[in-house]
Amino acid sequence: MTLCYLYCWTVCPLLVSTLRQIQPHSIEHNYADAVAFYPIDFDPEHDTPEVVSAC
């Protein structure tokens, strides 16, 4: 589970970037069924579905 804010300009972009690398790596190395990605956002006022889907 990952807690993130799309309007975070410090550690959040690095965290999301790392997670984006882990997902294809897990597929390529046959452990994708052993992991799950659950990002949770606590800023629904700014991080609307439209904003999230653009990321």
Side-chain angles (χ1 to χ4, degrees):
M1 179 170 43
T2 302
L3 307 175
C4 63
Y5 297 90
L6 295 178
Y7 281 88
C8 163
W9 304 114
T10 55
V11 70
C12 298
L14 178 61
L15 177 62
V16 171
S17 175
T18 301
L19 291 173
R20 284 185 176 165
Q21 293 173 20
I22 292 170
Q23 192 169 18
H25 186 273
S26 69
I27 294 167
E28 292 170 14
H29 296 276
N30 299 317
Y31 64 94
D33 291 337
V35 297
F37 297 91
Y38 297 103
I40 298 177
D41 186 286
F42 286 104
D43 193 8
E45 189 173 310
H46 292 108
D47 301 344
T48 63
E50 295 79 19
V51 171
V52 172
S53 66
C55 291

